[in-house]
Amino acid sequence: MRERVLAVRAGLPPDDLRVAGAAIARRAVGLPELAAARTVAAYVSVGREPSTRELIDTLRDRGTRVLLPVLRPDNDLDWAAYEGADSLVRARRGLLEPSAAALGVGAVTEADVVLLPGLAVDRRGLRLGRGGGSYDRVLARLAGGGFDPALVVVLYDDEVVEHVPAEPHDRSVRAAVTPSALHRFPEARPT
């Protein structure tokens, strides 16, 4: 399933990517969880991922504290404050990360909303990631500490599917934002 989604993404024209990113930002800012959030843990999209750049700038411009991941050598995620597009630096695996001081892996527990990358989500709200486990660690840290931020995955329209493979540790998300819709799922709970 991952290979299939990545192949479709690889064929998307650059103009479609730009248009999709703008539509995602417009749709996401109206999400009640984001409207009320003081702190949002997000990520900077790279390559053919649905663009989050306009969204994170919009959140920051309206006074929301935005935390972005910093990939550690063990593939866990540290977090740092987003200080604008000029503060992003190239990092391992082609990622863009904030140049601000890292706040520690536990900084994500301050987030009211966590925006997640993914390749697909199913009707149960189960998210298919890339398989590296970085976000599984983040979600386990949140659940293990009793934290319950709104989990929202950012995808393209055709990546909301009937079923994705799931592991016992997977957590469901509350919503998915795509260019043309906001998808809500039954009350997201650990599985």
Side-chain angles (χ1 to χ4, degrees), residues 82-117:
Y82 177 54
E83 297 174 346
D86 293 340
S87 70
L88 297 174
V89 295
R90 285 264 170 223
R92 294 181 326 151
R93 297 187 183 174
L95 300 174
L96 289 171
E97 297 177 345
S99 58
L103 302 170
V105 296
V108 70
T109 64
E110 300 170 20
D112 302 302
V113 176
V114 178
L115 294 176
L116 301 163

Side-chain angles (χ1 to χ4, degrees), residues 27 31 33 121-123 125 151-161 173-186:
R27 189 159 312 284
L31 189 65
E33 292 90 342
V121 68
D122 70 17
R123 301 292 175 193
L151 303 177
V152 179
V153 64
V154 180
L155 300 168
Y156 293 111
D157 292 317
D158 60 350
E159 296 171 353
V160 178
V161 299
V173 298
R174 187 175 298 170
V177 178
T178 69
S180 67
L182 171 62
H183 303 267
R184 293 263 182 200
F185 303 106

